Amino acid sequence: MLLIDCPHCGPRDENEFRYGGQAGIAYPDAPGELSDGEWAGYVFMRDNPKGWFTERWFHAHGCRTWFAVERHTVTHEIRTPVQEIR
Amino acid sequence: MTHPDFLWRNPDPKQAYDVIIVGGGGHGLATAYYLARNHGITNVAVLEKGWLAGGNMARNTTIIRSNYLWDESAAIYEHSLKLWEGLGDELDYDLQFSQRGVLNLAHSLGDVREGRRRVNANRLNGVDAEWLDADEVKKFCPIVNVSERARYPVMGATLQRRGGIAKHDHVAWALARKADAYGIDLIQGCEVTGFEIANGRVLSVKTSRGRIAAGKVALASAGHTSVLAERAGIRLPLQSHPLQALVSELLEPVLDCVVMSNAVHVYVSQAHKGELVMGAGIDSYNSYGQRGAFHVIEAQMAAALELFPLFSRVRVLRTWAGVVDVSPDASPIIGTTPVDGLYVNAGWGTGGFKATPGSGWVYAHTIAHGEPHPLAEPFALDRFTTGALIDEHGAAAVAH
Amino acid sequence: MTRLPSGGLIDRSVTLPFHFDGRPLHGHPGDTLASALLAGGVRVVGHSVDLGRPRGVFSAGAEEPNALVRVGADPMLAATTVELRDGLRAWSLRGKGRVDPDAVDERRADKGYLHCDVLVAGGGPAGLAAALAAGESGARVILLDDQPRLGGDLLSSRVRLDGAPALDWVAAAERRLAALPEVRVLVRTTAIGYYDHNYLVAVERRAAGERLWHLRARRVVLATGAHERSLPFPGNDRPGVMLASAARAYVNRYGVRPGGRAVVYACADSGYEAARDLEAAGVVIAAIVDPRPQAPAGHAVTGTITGTITGTTSDADGLLTGVRIGDQHLEADLLAVAGGWNPAVHLFSQSQGRVVFDDALQAFVPGASAQAERSAGACRGLYGTREAIEDGYAAGAEAAGRDGDFAVPSSDETALRPPAAYWGELSPDATAFVDLQRDVTVADLARAAGTGMRSVEHVKRFTTAGTGADQGKTSGALVAGVMAELLGATPGQLGTTTFRPPYAPVAFGTLAGRDRGELSDPVRTTAMHGAHLARGAVFEDVGQWKRPRYFPLDGEGMREAVLRECRAARTGVAAMDASTLGKIDIRGRDAGAFLDRIYTNMYSTLAVGACRYGLMCTADGMVFDDGTTTRLGEDHYLMTTTTGNAAAVLDWLEEWRQTEWPELDVRLTSVTDHWATVAIAGPRARDVLAAVAPGALDLAFMRYAGTEVLGVPGRVFRISFSGELAYEVNVPWHYGRSLWEGVLDLGAVPYGTETMHVLRAEKGFAIVGQETDGTVTPQDLGMSWIVSKRKPDYVGKRSHSRPDTARDGRKRLVGLLTDDPDAGLAEGAQLLRESEVPARMLGHVTSGYASATLGRTFGLAMARDVAPGDRLTAVSGTATVAVTVVEPVFYDPENARRDGEPVAAGIVSTAPEGRAESPAAAFAAGFAAAGSQSVRLRELPATPMWEVRGADPGEGLRLGPDWWLVVRDGPAGEGWVEVSGQRTVLELAGPGALDVLITGCPLDLHPSVFTGHAQTLLAKAPVIIERDGDAYRIYVRSSYTAYLAEWLLDALGR
């Protein structure tokens, strides 16, 4: 059970949150102008690093806030929240 | 059960091979075996960073079935199941393959619709399947609690009688022994750290034991495929998650079939030696840590006891986790890549073990011919661009 | 009888009778089942799993590989871990547990959640010292020990500290700990798992049932001690062969003489201590066998032989009769083996720390820590009592962030010399066991090496060594040592297999805790649930909700009931509880623009007071959810969602709002539990509406009115999912049952989800999750009309133009009519075209019903390459049904019915005033009865509540960065969303309240930490907990109230 430091509520157990995958994936400005491949990249392609990963969490059972943290995908160590919440 | 006296050499890597398979798990070993058996390609090395079949092959719950919904899935898994049915004899090894029947329980009207739909699709695809109502479930597996007063009552189940289990280690060792006997080098403790690629073609792999030239390189490293693909400059739509499982102490025979409940994430069978083997749902977050969170196990136990109150005082002996790479449609990715001579076989998610021989068969063909085996064609990478997904988990939507 | 006349930690004044394999025996408080069996002269406790060899008690703890027994309802336990109790019944096993279906088990497991500054695992000398050092600095400390009393190895030793018995020091330590309010000592509690972020799980064994503790610690001190190991030599498994530390424990702690004449195998000096204590207890020491050249200084024990044991002899029953040292044979009925020590690094390894092999200790010890953790004492190779205490003090002080100078007692122990670097007699003999529980021998390991295996993980799987219930506690290091010998490597090079949780086996039921039966998952019910139960409704589970599927009258089956309900809706008036549909209040300047981006159709152009049906897609373009959204005001919408997707849709909207379009002024509030909703459908629906909500009588189709309903402020929407004249009437939750009963009193026939499904199918309306399965687009449903061409974009739009998504020949929604009007059309049936060979599956039947209105069977399907008029075969199991494809509208295609009939003459508002009823009303008496001096439970009177988003109202409970809950009488502020019915407030008060909450709430509720309020989970239900002294107000969603009330009553009943 990870202990995730919600920027509003403080440290809470993992099962109060919903996982949001890689952070920093912006919705394209003009999807209509993207090729099928570029669009597939937005919809399906996400980083999957072995090591530090900037990822989103949603405090579903708390303050309902989306935020991002840096977490190591092997040690599961979490660094202080970072700002890019996309 | 007596094992052979000899299984494999422990050779040093040669300078070059016709084919290098990255990953000495079930799929990698099966691929090596079928490369030799079906295509006469034996100048092959299987590079394993740890110990043979020490990844998901050693960590799964050994369930074998082919009752998938979509035609493309049913075809490749049924091909695999047919291979299972002859594999022990062919490999001259007791795989403890037991076709004891696999129940997939339904707990809601939505589950019932999905189950019946799948049964009918299976039958028309030549996959044995039956729909059982709650009473028939009770007859087939008397210790399942089918009381209507359960929190999520059992409303029926699909049954594939040809489904069952096999002993994962024996399968890996049997494949390894035959591959070794064909002269294929199984090289353990050899981690691939990079690829030498020139003019869009792969020339060699860099490893912890030096550079090894290769005519073709085939990734078979479930869970870690993204990491290797990135070293080859390829991005794949995969996410790696922990998948947990556990075993109980040895028990005298108490459960003689496989019971699965996707709705409450319980997968259970009793292995030959007597331990209950149970699988859980995947952990939510990306991880390569080969461990999961404890609350997943607690939730699984609560659900399991709703189905099997009898197991209340049975004890968990060991829990562990594998790392599964999951694709957006929960179906595998098999075939060529943007790099000539580099092939990928990944994204089996939670379903890899049952596919072991089938996956090896079609992957070996794909590598040998440089183009996808017909059964592998629908599982090509480009489906995410065209939208022709093979969505095996979409079928579980619940609403209204 | 081998019970000593005196000594030990047992109470000889009390006799505890018990049965073993039906044989009556007895012991005393303080005994384990194992010590009582030994005292009763039972030497063969079970037989081995593969070879069926007789086996006796081998250890005195959790590492026991041999003495496995069935006890009552427990299929398999180690006799060395079972506290003897009056009337206990145990049976021997042959290595496998037996599940007894008839066993009765009164125990009820529970859970608990605790937080601390310093967690100390292990209450031996090191652990006690660590707890003292940390506790006396004021830290919140939890000390765990798996034994019934603290002391660890000191309970079994005769060590003297500062010249007094070691247990005096233990007693003093216990007194000091007891004086510290922030120190919690849990005995009979085994730490079984060490997880990420310093999260540990422990099992407390209580007579009433085990409790699973979840422990979050800032720092952890592991003081888990060490396990002695055996050595392989022929016949090393015979009853009478025992670990030297165990022999010592039986004489010192349990007052039992485990044999009359003993050989002690002292590969480590602990063997000499055992010899001394055995001799003191009257056991004849035939010899001490030590591979090392000379005996340690100060040991005046006779008959030390330098050499190694090469075999044993036994009688006809397999019991030990003697020991062979080369060609020498010594008679003995006890062989006490001190093979060396294995520090208990299990928890350290689970914490992801790496173990390293220490050549001097010949053991694997902790390497660098991976978490905020430190090992202390024997579990890191400091075996001496004084050294352990000194190390414990240091570890405790370090964990508490203090320095200190501690009085470390002196000990009379002689310093231990390095153990022999010896891994046993590597004989091919088939009885030289490495793993006693799994019957694994040196010969098996040799075979594994011969196959080419080089990894201990392979060897473990090949031989099963280390996979028994003891998890290789006695065999793990042996496998590494013996394999190293066989392969010409060092144990360090081979390493150990991974230590996996749990440290000790734990019952499924203990992990499930109270999540059993009705409490196994939260149940959500509506305001009308009690009325549904009273009416004998048959329910279906939709997510966590219970929804009435149909309302059978006496003697009716589902078919008859549904036909009757449908007829009522088509010819008269019928009513359904629609409260479970998700309701989301959406406000803000950009609310319309936001909805335009989420839905495939337009909302910014919707007239105020108008309703519109909408579809939303995932980014992949597939249908995600649907529902009706109404514009309540210029910047104010109300969205409805499907029941099953309500939470997912709200999360989805929040995700887009926060992570993609933060520039939009939009505020989202769930009001699902605030409103109770009754759908009134049928040509005579106006008659009912005229009575309950006369203000809405003139509503046009797809229009909304805020109006009084039964005299309370309500909302009426004129929308129809059946094609008939229909209204969705909303009142605040507390008035829901009153509205429902009122509507039925006015003649509306209650109907459930099954009838709702039939009615909508007759109109060809798809249901998300029935017609769709995550692979279906709006176009596939024939709903291109709802996909805006004018909008630049909406979520999923781009995916709709992908080659495969845009192609012809995709499956589409079609209607089906059976040739035989009475033939059943099974949902899930696959559709084939007979003429096609081989026949392709063209699609499947998504809905199939018998229609009262059509007087026949009909259905909906998703199918490719078919057109109206096509003749197909529907195949389900062995049954085939001939069907014809038709347009998917079976009833009133020109929508002539939707205006129904005018109000019948003479209808006036006869409905009673609404009566308010709380979701917890039914529990008031139960709450009162469950109360006690220490804890009281009650529902607080309903008070108006609003959720406020955006600007700080300057009052109320802050729930999020810009989110407040205001609870008070008086006027609402501008833009506040009324949620008075959304939550119910229960109050748990009294000194015992906290002990109830920690069984279901993972938060740190320690009074010094939890001072205000928090939004979290209690018993897996979403709640707000607000603290006021020793009173805790629990704000629970109204639909979860009954579930949480049951959960709290269950907790109070313990």
Side-chain angles (χ1 to χ4, degrees):
Chain A
M1 180 82 79
L2 302 182
L3 188 66
I4 299 168
D5 196 0
C6 167
H8 176 76
C9 306
R12 294 292 187 92
D13 280 357
E14 165 196 340
N15 59 351
E16 287 191 12
F17 299 83
R18 225 194 69 215
Y19 187 60
Q22 182 183 2
I25 304 292
Y27 187 75
D29 293 337
E33 292 164 20
L34 300 185
S35 70
D36 291 326
E38 291 166 332
W39 177 249
Y42 164 73
V43 177
F44 297 121
M45 290 291 182
R46 295 293 182 271
D47 291 348
N48 188 26
K50 186 175 188 175
W52 288 105
F53 186 40
T54 306
E55 64 188 13
R56 310 181 309 164
W57 290 87
F58 176 56
H59 197 183
H61 295 297
C63 62
R64 309 279 305 165
T65 304
W66 278 95
F67 60 97
V69 302
E70 259 191 307
R71 186 180 57 90
H72 195 284
T73 58
V74 179
T75 67
H76 297 167
E77 182 191 346
I78 293 178
R79 290 182 186 162
T80 47
V82 294
Q83 275 327 304
E84 42 179 339
I85 60 160
R86 278 181 181 279
Chain B
M1 158 72 209
T2 56
H3 294 284
D5 290 326
F6 183 79
L7 291 172
W8 56 70
R9 304 162 289 131
N10 288 284
D12 291 322
K14 292 190 285 185
Q15 292 291 325
Y17 293 91
D18 295 340
V19 177
I20 286 178
I21 296 167
V22 184
H27 288 216
L29 292 167
T31 304
Y33 168 67
Y34 287 116
L35 272 174
R37 175 192 180 277
N38 295 358
H39 308 284
I41 301 172
T42 57
N43 184 23
V44 176
V46 176
L47 307 185
E48 169 54 50
K49 73 176 176 182
W51 40 284
L52 286 178
N56 294 343
M57 190 64 170
R59 298 161 191 272
N60 71 86
T61 51
T62 78
I63 296 171
I64 294 168
R65 61 186 180 91
S66 64
N67 55 346
Y68 281 68
L69 174 66
W70 303 111
D71 298 356
E72 301 85 347
S73 309
I76 195 166
Y77 283 106
E78 176 61 17
H79 174 64
S80 191
L81 179 50
K82 288 205 169 71
L83 290 173
W84 277 114
E85 286 170 330
L87 200 61
D89 292 344
E90 178 177 327
L91 299 176
D92 184 24
Y93 208 118
D94 177 6
L95 305 181
Q96 295 183 345
F97 176 54
S98 161
Q99 293 179 287
R100 53 184 62 185
V102 175
L103 286 173
N104 287 77
L105 302 180
H107 299 277
S108 68
L109 297 175
D111 288 354
V112 170
R113 268 185 222 102
E114 187 278 332
R116 289 174 166 279
R117 174 188 179 188
R118 190 158 42 77
V119 161
N120 293 324
N122 290 157
R123 295 165 68 102
L124 290 160
N125 273 323
V127 176
D128 75 297
E130 298 161 52
W131 174 258
L132 307 186
D133 64 25
D135 293 342
E136 293 166 324
V137 169
K138 184 79 179 172
K139 278 195 204 70
F140 188 78
C141 184
I143 64 171
V144 172
N145 170 29
V146 297
S147 158
E148 289 179 358
R149 297 180 53 254
R151 176 66 184 88
Y152 294 109
V154 172
M155 302 179 72
T158 67
L159 168 62
Q160 183 176 28
R161 293 184 189 271
R162 287 167 59 240
I165 57 174
K167 181 66 181 171
H168 49 12
D169 294 324
H170 297 194
V171 174
W173 301 340
L175 289 164
R177 180 176 68 143
K178 287 293 186 186
D180 179 89
Y182 275 118
I184 291 172
D185 287 351
L186 309 179
I187 302 165
Q188 304 181 65
C190 181
E191 179 172 14
V192 170
T193 56
F195 301 85
E196 183 188 353
I197 296 166
N199 308 323
R201 172 158 199 88
V202 63
L203 304 176
S204 75
V205 296
K206 301 171 198 146
T207 79
S208 54
R209 296 177 66 173
R211 175 187 185 277
I212 310 175
K216 294 176 176 178
V217 176
L219 303 183
S221 40
H224 289 69
T225 314
S226 298
V227 176
L228 285 156
E230 191 192 9
R231 289 171 186 164
I234 300 170
R235 255 184 132 212
L236 296 170
L238 294 173
Q239 298 284 284
S240 297
H241 290 269
L243 175 64
Q244 301 190 70
L246 61 86
V247 292
S248 76
E249 60 222 336
L250 301 187
L251 299 172
E252 291 178 358
V254 61
L255 175 66
D256 63 0
C257 65
V258 181
V259 178
M260 306 178 63
S261 173
N262 298 13
V264 294
H265 288 306
V266 173
Y267 315 95
V268 57
S269 66
Q270 184 172 23
H272 287 74
K273 286 187 182 299
E275 66 269 35
L276 295 175
V277 182
M278 304 180 76
I282 67 171
D283 280 57
S284 67
Y285 49 79
N286 291 33
S287 173
Y288 292 86
Q290 288 191 328
R291 64 189 184 279
F294 191 66
H295 66 276
V296 174
I297 301 289
E298 293 179 78
Q300 178 201 8
M301 285 297 120
L305 291 185
E306 283 301 281
L307 298 176
F308 301 100
L310 184 69
F311 293 163
S312 174
R313 297 305 301 175
V314 173
R315 300 181 304 168
V316 176
L317 218 58
R318 260 191 326 281
T319 65
W320 65 87
V323 179
V324 296
D325 42 28
V326 180
S327 72
D329 59 359
S331 289
I333 300 167
I334 314 169
T336 56
T337 69
V339 176
D340 290 347
L342 182 66
Y343 301 85
V344 65
N345 177 8
W348 291 91
T350 63
F353 176 74
K354 67 178 75 69
T356 301
S359 166
W361 182 286
V362 302
Y363 198 30
H365 175 106
T366 303
I367 296 160
H369 293 78
E371 60 188 41
H373 183 284
L375 289 176
E377 273 170 16
F379 297 97
L381 194 49
D382 71 354
R383 72 179 186 270
F384 300 102
T385 302
T386 63
L389 272 54
I390 305 167
D391 195 339
E392 283 291 342
H393 53 30
V398 185
H400 81 246
Chain C
M1 183 60 196
T2 64
R3 180 77 68 177
L4 296 168
S6 65
L9 303 175
I10 54 168
D11 177 2
R12 287 179 176 77
S13 70
V14 177
T15 296
L16 301 176
F18 70 99
H19 282 80
F20 180 68
D21 284 340
R23 176 181 155 197
L25 293 160
H26 70 273
H28 303 291
D31 265 322
T32 62
L33 175 57
S35 64
L37 288 170
L38 285 170
V42 177
R43 301 193 69 191
V44 177
V45 177
H47 288 76
S48 69
V49 66
D50 284 343
L51 304 173
R53 289 169 64 89
R55 295 285 169 83
V57 173
F58 186 76
S59 78
E63 67 271 39
E64 177 61 34
N66 279 352
L68 301 174
V69 295
R70 176 162 66 100
V71 180
D74 290 290
M76 187 196 278
L77 294 174
T80 52
T81 63
V82 176
E83 273 184 69
L84 191 66
R85 58 177 187 274
D86 191 349
L88 176 146
R89 306 187 80 84
W91 297 266
S92 61
L93 294 172
R94 180 179 164 159
K96 290 187 180 183
R98 184 178 304 126
V99 176
D100 176 4
D102 307 323
V104 278
D105 188 11
E106 300 297 332
R107 292 168 295 179
R108 296 198 301 173
D110 201 353
K111 296 189 180 182
Y113 299 83
L114 292 174
H115 301 249
C116 62
D117 299 317
V118 181
L119 174 71
V120 181
L128 283 166
L132 284 169
E136 289 178 343
S137 76
R140 291 168 61 191
V141 175
I142 296 173
L143 171 64
L144 310 177
D145 191 86
D146 69 343
Q147 292 296 306
R149 55 190 289 179
L150 298 172
D153 184 60
L154 299 181
L155 298 172
S156 305
S157 83
R158 304 204 307 168
V159 174
R160 300 181 71 81
L161 298 175
D162 287 341
L167 291 184
D168 293 359
W169 181 85
V170 172
E174 287 187 86
R175 281 194 301 276
R176 284 161 66 189
L177 290 173
L180 299 168
E182 292 301 337
V183 173
R184 182 189 291 249
V185 176
L186 295 169
V187 294
R188 296 186 171 90
T189 304
T190 308
I192 59 165
Y194 191 149
Y195 297 89
D196 294 322
H197 300 177
N198 261 10
Y199 192 65
L200 284 86
V201 178
V203 175
E204 178 184 11
R205 290 178 300 282
R206 309 178 304 173
E210 284 135 333
R211 185 201 290 272
L212 187 71
W213 287 107
H214 303 71
L215 310 168
R216 184 79 69 175
R218 280 204 182 74
R219 311 265 326 166
V220 172
V221 175
L222 297 177
T224 48
H227 299 130
E228 199 169 41
R229 63 180 178 241
S230 180
L231 283 172
F233 50 82
N236 66 339
D237 67 324
R238 301 193 191 288
V241 180
M242 176 183 291
L243 292 172
S245 57
R248 182 164 146 266
Y250 287 115
V251 292
N252 292 339
R253 176 175 175 180
Y254 298 106
V256 175
R257 194 184 298 119
R261 179 181 165 86
V263 170
V264 177
Y265 197 7
C267 300
D269 285 358
S270 50
Y272 290 86
E273 293 175 16
R276 183 197 58 202
D277 294 357
L278 286 167
E279 198 164 48
V283 178
V284 176
I285 304 298
I288 297 178
V289 182
D290 186 341
R292 297 166 297 177
Q294 73 274 14
H299 262 295
V301 186
T302 47
T304 300
I305 299 172
T306 302
T308 59
I309 292 177
T310 53
T312 64
T313 54
S314 71
D315 64 15
D317 299 332
L319 304 180
L320 183 77
T321 56
V323 175
R324 286 211 166 77
I325 304 116
D327 47 18
Q328 194 175 356
H329 180 265
L330 299 173
E331 285 192 4
D333 59 358
L334 172 65
L335 171 54
V337 182
W341 291 87
N342 301 331
V345 294
H346 307 71
L347 292 175
F348 169 80
S349 178
Q350 288 176 26
S351 78
Q352 304 305 306
R354 292 255 174 280
V355 298
V356 296
F357 189 76
D358 183 308
D359 288 317
L361 294 170
Q362 288 293 299
F364 290 95
V365 297
S369 291
Q371 298 198 45
E373 163 279 336
R374 163 172 171 176
S375 296
C379 68
R380 73 182 190 103
L382 297 173
Y383 301 133
T385 303
R386 187 182 194 291
E387 293 71 16
I389 292 172
E390 186 170 26
D391 195 40
Y393 277 133
E398 179 190 317
R402 69 178 274 197
D403 39 2
D405 158 25
F406 303 94
V408 180
S410 66
S411 158
D412 66 345
E413 294 161 297
T414 45
L416 299 172
R417 301 172 303 160
Y422 176 67
W423 295 100
E425 182 75 9
L426 303 192
S427 134
D429 180 285
T431 67
F433 291 92
V434 173
D435 184 325
L436 293 163
Q437 181 159 151
R438 285 304 201 125
D439 277 340
V440 177
T441 64
V442 171
D444 295 324
L445 297 183
R447 280 197 73 242
T451 64
M453 289 181 170
R454 296 292 176 266
S455 157
V456 288
E457 293 285 358
H458 278 147
V459 173
K460 164 186 164 186
R461 287 166 168 75
F462 188 82
T463 63
T464 72
T467 63
D470 63 335
Q471 288 214 56
K473 291 184 178 68
T474 53
S475 65
L478 282 188
V479 172
V482 172
M483 282 304 290
E485 296 281 332
L486 293 170
L487 298 173
T490 68
Q493 287 168 320
L494 263 90
T496 65
T497 58
T498 314
F499 294 90
R500 303 191 182 285
Y503 163 77
V506 52
F508 289 10
T510 305
L511 298 181
R514 286 161 55 201
D515 301 349
R516 305 285 297 273
E518 280 303 303
L519 298 180
S520 66
D521 194 49
V523 182
R524 299 182 72 179
T525 52
T526 70
M528 300 74 149
H529 191 68
H532 301 332
L533 287 171
R535 227 167 235 95
V538 175
F539 294 88
E540 74 164 304
D541 291 298
V542 182
Q544 292 180 317
W545 288 98
K546 293 283 182 189
R547 298 197 71 181
R549 190 180 179 194
Y550 58 98
F551 292 86
L553 299 180
D554 293 349
E556 270 184 342
M558 182 172 96
R559 183 187 168 85
E560 300 73 36
V562 170
L563 288 172
R564 175 180 50 78
E565 293 172 12
C566 288
R567 217 174 284 113
R570 292 284 183 221
T571 62
V573 58
M576 183 184 76
D577 176 0
S579 308
T580 61
L581 294 182
K583 304 172 210 67
I584 303 170
D585 182 280
I586 303 173
R587 301 186 190 217
R589 268 192 327 282
D590 303 312
F594 177 79
L595 291 170
D596 287 348
R597 299 187 194 185
I598 291 291
Y599 277 121
T600 62
N601 51 341
M602 292 289 280
Y603 279 85
S604 54
T605 56
L606 189 64
V608 172
C611 321
R612 181 169 289 166
Y613 172 82
L615 274 183
M616 61 180 80
C617 296
T618 59
D620 186 30
M622 302 302 151
V623 171
F624 168 41
D625 202 60
D626 71 343
T628 305
T629 290
T630 301
R631 191 167 199 170
L632 302 176
E634 186 56 32
D635 300 338
H636 188 190
Y637 293 77
L638 181 80
M639 172 188 287
T640 61
T641 75
T642 59
T643 299
N645 276 346
V649 170
L650 183 58
D651 288 3
W652 176 248
L653 301 184
E654 271 302 348
E655 179 172 356
W656 286 97
R657 186 187 76 86
Q658 290 184 39
T659 72
E660 293 298 342
W661 309 318
E663 69 282 3
L664 295 186
D665 173 35
V666 184
R667 301 183 293 282
L668 307 165
T669 305
S670 168
V671 291
T672 300
D673 293 33
H674 172 66
W675 295 106
T677 308
V678 176
I680 304 168
R684 304 233 55 92
R686 265 192 201 87
D687 297 356
V688 174
L689 193 77
V692 298
L697 258 187
D698 303 331
L699 268 187
F701 183 59
M702 295 305 267
R703 283 290 186 279
Y704 143 87
T707 177
E708 292 223 322
V709 177
L710 300 185
V712 298
R715 290 172 173 176
V716 178
F717 304 82
R718 189 179 153 193
I719 51 185
S720 177
F721 199 40
S722 60
E724 301 298 331
L725 171 67
Y727 302 88
E728 285 190 2
V729 182
N730 292 258
V731 289
W733 178 288
H734 292 68
Y735 295 92
R737 181 166 186 170
S738 180
L739 172 63
W740 175 252
E741 300 285 11
V743 165
L744 299 194
D745 290 348
L746 289 159
V749 173
Y751 69 96
T753 52
E754 192 66 24
T755 289
M756 180 260 285
H757 288 180
V758 177
L759 297 173
R760 62 87 206 182
E762 289 171 346
K763 288 289 292 180
F765 298 145
I767 282 189
V768 172
Q770 185 161 344
E771 272 64 42
T772 72
D773 61 6
T775 69
V776 176
T777 66
Q779 297 84 350
D780 297 341
L781 290 174
M783 295 174 73
S784 303
W785 56 268
I786 206 172
V787 179
S788 168
K789 309 285 176 292
R790 291 182 291 147
K791 291 195 293 185
D793 193 26
Y794 55 81
V795 176
K797 179 183 173 76
R798 176 62 184 82
S799 289
H800 291 156
S801 60
R802 293 175 306 188
D804 187 79
T805 319
R807 73 180 159 83
D808 299 331
R810 284 178 64 90
K811 291 177 182 173
R812 306 281 186 200
L813 180 70
V814 297
L816 297 176
L817 290 177
T818 53
D819 290 9
D820 170 358
D822 299 325
L825 186 53
E827 290 170 355
Q830 293 287 337
L831 297 168
L832 308 177
R833 199 187 304 270
E834 287 298 342
S835 56
E836 239 180 38
V837 185
R840 284 179 308 155
M841 282 179 268
L842 300 172
H844 73 286
V845 176
T846 56
S847 300
Y849 306 104
S851 165
T853 312
L854 309 176
R856 66 175 342 289
T857 307
F858 75 105
L860 297 172
M862 294 298 298
R864 73 172 75 96
D865 304 334
V866 298
D870 289 7
R871 319 253 304 117
L872 306 175
T873 305
V875 181
S876 183
T878 54
T880 62
V881 177
V883 296
T884 303
V885 176
V886 297
E887 292 295 340
V889 185
F890 301 86
Y891 178 74
D892 186 28
E894 50 291 320
N895 299 322
R897 312 256 329 152
R898 78 176 182 213
D899 292 330
E901 293 167 29
V903 181
I907 290 278
V908 285
S909 180
T910 57
E913 284 288 299
R915 295 180 321 283
E917 178 183 286
S918 148
F923 293 90
F927 287 173
S932 69
Q933 286 294 1
S934 79
V935 55
R936 301 174 305 279
L937 177 60
R938 64 175 181 138
E939 180 190 5
L940 296 184
T943 311
M945 298 189 213
W946 296 271
E947 285 188 38
V948 185
R949 282 179 167 74
D952 184 350
E955 59 178 312
L957 304 176
R958 191 175 185 208
L959 301 182
D962 52 6
W963 179 21
W964 291 261
L965 179 71
V966 176
V967 185
R968 61 158 167 78
D969 294 303
E974 175 62 29
W976 293 10
V977 181
E978 205 212 331
V979 291
S980 305
Q982 181 82 352
R983 296 178 180 86
T984 306
V985 188
L986 307 179
E987 183 189 71
L988 195 65
L994 198 51
D995 291 336
V996 172
L997 290 178
I998 63 168
T999 67
C1001 180
L1003 275 193
D1004 185 356
L1005 296 171
H1006 187 282
S1008 70
V1009 177
F1010 184 69
T1011 52
H1013 68 278
Q1015 191 162 212
T1016 182
L1017 292 170
L1018 176 62
K1020 294 182 271 123
V1023 296
I1024 301 163
I1025 300 178
E1026 182 186 18
R1027 181 179 160 222
D1028 180 358
D1030 71 359
Y1032 295 84
R1033 287 191 278 279
I1034 303 164
Y1035 299 68
V1036 56
R1037 294 276 291 263
S1038 293
S1039 59
Y1040 286 102
T1041 301
Y1043 160 79
L1044 192 66
E1046 295 285 5
W1047 185 89
L1048 286 165
L1049 288 173
D1050 180 66
L1052 290 171
R1054 286 163 184 257

